[in-house]
Amino acid sequence: MAQSNKAILAQLPSFNEETTIDEWLKAYERGELERTLRCHWSQFVPLVFARGHDVEKEQRYANTFLFHPLEQFLCGGDPSIKFQELKEMDAPSQICGHVFRTGEPTYSCRDCANDPTCVLCINCFQKSKHKNHKYRMSTSGGGGYCDCGDPEAWKTEPVCETHRAGGALGADRDPVANLPVDLKGRAGAVFENVLRFIVDMLTWNKGNSLPESMQLEGDLSDEYHCMLFNDEVHTYDQVISTLQRAIECSNRQAIDFATIVDREGRSSVRQGPNAQCVKAKEVIERCTSRHGSKPLKVEVMHNMLVAHQTFVLRCIDWLQNIINKTDGLRRLFCLLSMREIDGGLSLMEKLILADTQLWKVARTMSHQLLMSGVLKDPECKKQFAVIFTKHYPQMSEDFISDDHDHDVSVSSLSVQIFTVPSLARMLIAEQDLISVILKVFLKTCQEKKNDKGKLSFERNDRSASFKRASYMLYDLKYALLCKPSDPSEWTDALRTSFLKGFMSMLTLLKMMQGMDAVTRQTSQHLEFEPEWEGAFNLQLKLEDSIVLFTDWCSSDRYLLIEAYKETMDNLYHCREKMDKEKLTVAGHTVKCQKHDVAAQPVSIHLPITRFLASIYIHLAEYGLRFDSPELMVRKRLEPVELMEPALRVQVLIAQTQAGMWRRNGFSLLNQIYFYHNVRCREEMYNKDIIMLQIAASLLEPDDFLIHLLNKYGLVAWTKPEYDNPTGQEDYLRQTVTLAEEFLTLLIIILEERYVPGVGEVTQKDAVKREIIHQLCISAMPHSKLAKALPEDPNHETGLEEVVEEVATFKKPTAGGNGKYELKDQYYAEYCPFFYHYSKSDQSKSEEAERSRKKQNGEDQALPPPVPPKFKVAFKPILRLFSSDVFLHVLSMVLSRTAAARSRSWSEAQFERVLYIIGLGLHEQMEALESHDSSFQFLQRATGEKGILGQLESLVHNTNVNQEPIKDLLAWVLRKFGEALHLSDEPSSKDQLDSLAKCADLRTQSERKKKAAIAAKRRAKVMAQMSKMQKDFIAENSELFENTHTDPGSAVDMDVNEPNADSVALGPKQSRSKVANSINVTCILCQEEEVVTLTSRAMVLAAYVQMSTVLSQNRSKHLANGEQYDPLLMSADLFNGTHTSSCGHCMHHECWQRFFQNIVNKERRRPVRFRHSSSYDVDKMEYLCPLCEGLSNTVIPFVPILPTMQRDSENKGVSLEFDDWLDGIHKTAVNSVQNKEIKGDFHLMLQPCPISSISRMMAESVARNFQLLWEYVSDDSSGSFSEGLREMMQKYARDVYVFGLGVKPDDDNSRVPVMSWNSCAFTIMSFEQDLSSEGQGIFGSLTERQSSLLGALVRFAATIGQIAAADTIREHCVKLLSLLIPEKVESLVFDCDCLLDVDMFHFLVALTMTLPSLHTEGSEGQAPAPTTVASLPTGGLNDQHALMLVFIVHIVQVILTYDAPSQESMDMEAEAETEGRMLLAAYVSVRSDAGLECSAMPSCWQLLSHIREATLPFLRCAALFYHHLTGVVAPISLHDRETDEFGHLCNYLALPKDISLLFAGQHTKSLVKSWCCSRTVRDRLSATNTPLMKYPRTVHRLITLPKDYSELINEASQFTCPKSEADDSRAPTRCLVCGAMLCSQSYCCQTDIEGTTVGAATQHTDACGAGNGIFLRVRDCQILLLSGKAKGCFLPAPYLDSYGESDQGLRRGNPLTLCKDQYDNIQKIWFQHNIPQTIARNMNQESNNGFLTIEWNHL
Ligand SMILES: [Zn+2]
Ligand SMILES: [Zn+2]
Ligand SMILES: [Zn+2]
Ligand SMILES: [Zn+2]
Ligand SMILES: [Zn+2]
Ligand SMILES: [Zn+2]
Ligand SMILES: [Zn+2]
């Protein structure tokens, strides 16, 4: 397709913009513009869009040949000038209308938004008043626009500052009038023609032809596309594999096609002759139609058609752009698009009706055109709303039978229209909107109706249509949200139309009333679990609408009456005919409905009954009652019939409690669970209780109770003879439970009044009560509390308004959430029988309340609180208290309590009866206080054989033996006393006397109270005493100092006495050493072991990982471990090897057995389970048997080094540093040669014999130099045990393998190097961690960390013992060769530069290799065997080596120092010798190296810079030598004290005056030779790679913004880097380097070693050497990745004002960065704990049975 520009231009028909426009103008005059335009397009569109130009070129051509001429024509002049002129005439807009991209943040104000769909864009939000209100943040799913400026969306503050400027100016002016007449005409013509063209081309459905008007002359060429379309049925993977087969493309290509199909809705997968395309189509269809599924949609389309359709999409963009230029053009476009044409539909209607025929991107683009057109223009929006509603049924049906997601359907625009209250009210009143919506839904319901006319869902119903139809229910809710708030908004049309809609609603509810009825299984278990979810799903989706219907009905008297009558009528028609039977209890006889819940069907779905209850409680507001003539219908249900269904549900639940429905399986239990669940109970359980309360207020109390008893099957239980044994014990237990449940229901009916309309309460009171009862269970974080409260249709719980009143928010102490605690005074409102408690809530709250009371020294009774008053309509419920049946039941339970033996008694019954009596007494007090003599409970209770007498007799009854119930009884009796006292009736005198006889009961409880108070006082005294003791001790501390010893600490003290100024190295090495032996206990066999050379080898569980944490150059990665030479670690530390350990030790045999077991077990596990494991045995991973810490190797414990040697004789050696350096220099120079391999010169490194060296030295010096390498080997000190050697080899191998990512190779010369490096790197990372925390290097490390470092250092020192001696020597020479650049330069071209080497890694390696430099033996003799005698233990060699390396490091610092420009010259005068000398060295070093000394530092500046820059090195060195030599560190290094530098120098035997380092002759000339070397000079002048500067910056994770919405906003701007300008679905930021990635998406998948990986995993591989830490912005969570198969999520470090994080952004509260949490996350990374954290999380999750996530795809 590569055609040159010229070639294409040559093929173009001649084009001249001027003449073209001229032609168009003429055609326009003639009224033939359409034909002319189409002719132009038919010529040019194929040239622009059918040639496969690149994007940029295509755009340029499109503009030149197609769009610019159109604009020019439209404007009649230069478009840019004309549009500007027009724009200036616009009234500034008050509406923002910003259209949201996917993932863009949106803000809704919880105080001011009319509903949660009203949102602001970030710019408007930040300029609005809502910023300071309670707001919710969320991310847009794409589509939708900013509501700023729309007065209907906001209760207050509808405009932000930016858009306020617009204001009311010219709001009523017709913007079209602003357009010049001629321009208006041409613009109209262009709009109409372009839109018509768009509609024509998009709806054209013949793939192999074009509309006639677009036909070119001649036949169409044989160029076709095989176009694959998107559906929501086939998976990505299916499409990819099908494509690979059908068109034989690569996996990558297939992924690309599938990605395009998914994003855009279609993709051309093959281009070519028709036959080929048809064949591909057939294969694809065949491959995807197996297993009876619908095949993928494929069409063969002609090249020309595809080109025109591409052009059409551009046209949509263009139109959108043009109409946004001015209000006039927009209005003009809208009006034209909605104008009826061809006598039928408008173009707009054609477009929306064709919606489901279009592919995805064509749909979304046309919706955007609508949104930026009609929806932005209030006038047009109204017209559009009417059109939309008119076609709503058609569009909805199209949507239901379509398979695309709702958000790409034009019907999803409903939210933009129906949520505008004025529009919605208009549509309801004039277009019957409610019925229109419901009719569509009802039509779908018809298919689900069973023969009884009820909805019936099938298990695993495959058809999606019902689910899709459910979207209409959202529309219903939106429409209902517009309930008039002002009486003036009510019109008769609105009422009539609403009622019409309401009738449709009743039709729907009628189909639900009685659905999914259950029948008790008695003989066998149900074979299949009956389906129940469908019904509950529907219930949930309808819930808000039901609430809103209730709101409408209760806001208008006329509606209330009509709705009530309609509901009653419908209920009547649902009624079943029932037989009656007569029943008698306590002398009262009543005719009861004969329906046995335990034998006949019962349904939990009763929406009509419940709706009646909802509106019934509003009757009184309009002066209506059950019997009001206005409410009379011909046939209505009586109260008994009304309550029957609700009562059955209560009985069903009671029977389930009693175990009678066990055979009905989980389906029933689930139904009951959801019936009570906070999401459903408002419209289910609560309404049933109200219905029972309605019946209780309307029926005769005795009748009501007998109906209840009958339904519960408890009539027999009320008879005294029931207690006589009959032998049916099983049945009896059921009855006992049923009786308890019956009494509980009675309590609920009497006590629950927190519903406005039932009791004298407000909605706020109700919410408060819910909160109180939740907090009685336990203190709760905000989120948990919010979840426990029901939401209104706007998803608000009302929590925030009242919570502060009843609870105190306690800030979190350390981590975790803050919690609300109930304020003390509200505990008095606790009801143990609160009807929203589950059984477990109930027992938890009881327990909590009792223990709280105990602590306060109160008694254990949990009496009822005083309830609010009933509303007048419900007050008759109180008649129950004095009814015969009621008192009979109470009395019966009490007499059974007293009976010596009663088979049907239970304490729970007794407790409930006491509670009910308590409630009665509360009412009695209330009646007495208000002088209401009609309430007779006390009178009846205290009468002869009254219950008071029974209660008194129970006081000492042995059946009442539990403290809490005794206390409750005492409370009831006291309450009786109070009531009698208040009643002041003569008869009550006797009663008071008799109560007094129970005096000892009262004293008993009082005694207890006293005892409790005494106990409390005692505790207080004790506390006081202990405080006094402590104070005394503190005041007299010197007296107590010696007497008060801590038993644990004294034991080892004498050994570890830290010396004030101990020295680790050289002849002055201190003798104070750490313990001489290591004692450890094996965690597997529990045996203790002392680590010596001969003991059984001990190992430490450890984890080795590659690390980039310390990297100073994030663009550098370890590409190929096989070819990397690790000996000279790069100064930028780009890749290191880190070892960590949990600190647990084992015998090596114990560990090997343990590990072998794991391997065997893992091998037996089926492969498919293996990848979900938190460890991978193939990578040698295992979990520490004690702490389950992730490990992949073990470190052997080498004994303390000096203990393995006799006292080193060479301590007597005296050799000045300068002389030593001379010897080393000579050795180095003489050990390096070159050899030629294939024409290239390579270095040959072979130590020159010491004899030759010493010959070159002065005799006295030579002898001493030689002595340094003469070791006293002692056969008895021997070598390592077999076990230890084996473990040493293993660890060395593992470090090599994991550190380089290579295969094991024990003979590789790099094996020992990796051990040294890992030792150095681990020390450096500890040092950086301590530094960044401001801690000293000793004293802050834990025992575990110290023991790890010790093991690492000792191991690094001894690795030379098991490696080939020659290798070690060679490494030593290689290290030394770095210091003789001039010599090396003369031999080979490439020479390592000492500026690029990390000196601490160098130091460790040099220290470890130096002892073997001259162990070659005397000339001619065999080399002496390496023995432990040659281990470095801080002798002279070590001291000088450190000094040498330190000098190199200082030279590095000097050469890379950017001196600040001179400021304080006067400091110079006072400079001490050290400074002056140092400055001299600085000058000479830099001039030797060819650096200009333009900016000279002052002495003081230089000195303090060198100290600061070398401090990290010295700190590392101190840690290193401490573990190498065992010399205890001085106390001054435990904390970071002043002059840390000086203390370090002292400990390391370095001169405090660093200028002295440069004093020696040999030193001076050596340093000079470095600086003058070509290598160093070239390096300094090279600019491509920056030089490392010291001190290194300690890198942290990237800085995150304080406000989380900034991140969301940023992420919404991010587009997938691979698919041009496309949104990324899971934008994910690397917290290490800040890169933004397109994670979890096919578009950005790549391949690593044969595994398909997502962008995050790929990035992890490079950026973090296998460990990654990311922020997933949309989910608000941290992602940790390790390797390709493991990962975990953590909450992002952002908290809302309740101290809670919000994973998944579900709560939507504003989130701010929590520094502490981010620090913790930082630590995970910085301390190399990513693999550990993941392993622990995965362990937990696999225990919890979480789904496995394919981490590699993230
Ligand atoms: Zn906005
Ligand atoms: Zn605004
Ligand atoms: Zn607000
Ligand atoms: Zn053991
Ligand atoms: Zn452990
Ligand atoms: Zn991507
Ligand atoms: Zn990164």
Side-chain angles (χ1 to χ4, degrees), residues 122 220 385 527 722 751 798 819 929 989 1073 1227 1596 1668:
I122 186 163
L220 288 172
E527 209 167 320
Y722 187 78
E751 190 181 33
K819 281 181 179 171
E929 270 158 18
K989 263 263 175 293
K1073 304 250 170 150
T1227 311
R1596 314 298 293 174

Side-chain angles (χ1 to χ4, degrees), residues 95-98 100 119-125 145-148 160 163:
I95 299 214
C96 169
H98 170 80
F100 292 117
V119 289
L120 292 178
C121 67
I122 186 163
N123 292 329
C124 290
F125 174 72
Y145 58 90
C146 174
D147 287 307
C148 181
C160 75
H163 294 104

Side-chain angles (χ1 to χ4, degrees), residues 1467-1479:
M1467 298 290 285
E1468 214 68 38
E1470 298 160 34
E1472 295 168 23
T1473 349
E1474 180 181 11
R1476 280 207 308 279
M1477 299 282 289
L1478 212 53
L1479 194 62

Side-chain angles (χ1 to χ4, degrees), residues 1087-1287:
E1087 270 174 49
E1088 222 177 290
E1089 199 76 41
V1090 179
V1091 178
T1092 65
L1093 272 180
T1094 47
S1095 63
R1096 291 160 72 196
M1098 296 297 289
V1099 294
L1100 196 58
Y1103 187 82
V1104 175
Q1105 60 187 304
M1106 242 190 247
S1107 162
T1108 61
V1109 170
L1110 303 187
S1111 171
Q1112 304 281 317
N1113 183 354
R1114 296 251 160 249
S1115 58
K1116 201 163 146 193
H1117 308 298
L1118 178 60
N1120 186 347
E1122 293 292 352
Q1123 268 153 37
Y1124 173 66
D1125 180 2
L1127 186 63
L1128 297 174
M1129 165 61 87
S1130 165
D1132 56 26
L1133 302 174
F1134 78 105
N1135 189 301
T1137 310
H1138 186 269
T1139 303
S1140 57
S1141 168
C1142 63
H1144 292 129
C1145 314
M1146 296 157 272
H1147 286 110
H1148 87 277
E1149 303 102 326
C1150 293
W1151 176 75
Q1152 275 172 321
R1153 257 197 310 278
F1154 165 77
F1155 185 66
Q1156 198 52 50
N1157 265 334
I1158 293 180
V1159 173
N1160 295 342
K1161 209 163 73 193
E1162 208 61 19
R1163 296 273 143 83
R1164 284 196 299 271
R1165 235 150 69 111
V1167 178
R1168 69 201 156 91
F1169 289 125
R1170 273 193 216 156
H1171 73 276
S1172 61
S1173 166
S1174 60
Y1175 60 92
D1176 181 353
V1177 287
D1178 293 337
K1179 292 184 181 158
M1180 308 292 288
E1181 287 175 350
Y1182 64 97
L1183 300 181
C1184 164
L1186 189 63
C1187 67
E1188 301 208 308
L1190 185 69
S1191 315
N1192 59 5
T1193 186
V1194 287
I1195 310 174
F1197 261 114
V1198 173
I1200 306 273
L1201 302 179
T1203 64
M1204 293 189 278
Q1205 299 172 338
R1206 300 172 138 210
D1207 261 358
S1208 204
E1209 303 259 324
N1210 62 26
K1211 270 203 176 147
V1213 178
S1214 107
L1215 189 65
E1216 287 298 315
F1217 172 69
D1218 211 45
D1219 294 329
W1220 176 85
L1221 188 61
D1222 184 36
I1224 291 291
H1225 184 228
K1226 290 195 160 79
T1227 311
V1229 170
N1230 290 293
S1231 304
V1232 181
Q1233 280 140 27
N1234 65 352
K1235 61 179 174 202
E1236 198 190 321
I1237 305 173
K1238 292 179 194 162
D1240 267 345
F1241 286 102
H1242 292 261
L1243 273 190
M1244 206 166 78
L1245 309 159
Q1246 196 145 49
C1248 173
I1250 194 159
S1251 44
S1252 330
I1253 303 296
S1254 51
R1255 254 178 251 137
M1256 292 178 247
M1257 300 169 91
E1259 202 174 324
S1260 60
V1261 180
R1263 180 61 207 137
N1264 275 313
F1265 189 71
Q1266 248 172 329
L1267 269 176
L1268 283 177
W1269 276 274
E1270 273 173 23
Y1271 304 105
V1272 186
S1273 43
D1274 174 356
D1275 291 340
S1276 69
S1277 65
S1279 48
F1280 305 113
S1281 70
E1282 208 32 55
L1284 190 53
R1285 288 185 87 84
E1286 194 187 323
M1287 287 296 103

Side-chain angles (χ1 to χ4, degrees), residues 346-357:
S346 64
L347 285 168
M348 165 93 65
E349 286 166 292
K350 282 188 174 180
L351 196 57
I352 61 176
L353 287 174
D355 192 56
T356 51
Q357 294 168 36

Side-chain angles (χ1 to χ4, degrees), residues 109-113 129-130 133-134 156-157:
C109 180
R110 295 171 63 196
D111 296 331
C112 315
K129 289 265 161 52
H130 309 295
H133 299 174
K134 253 185 354 217
T156 52
E157 302 294 343

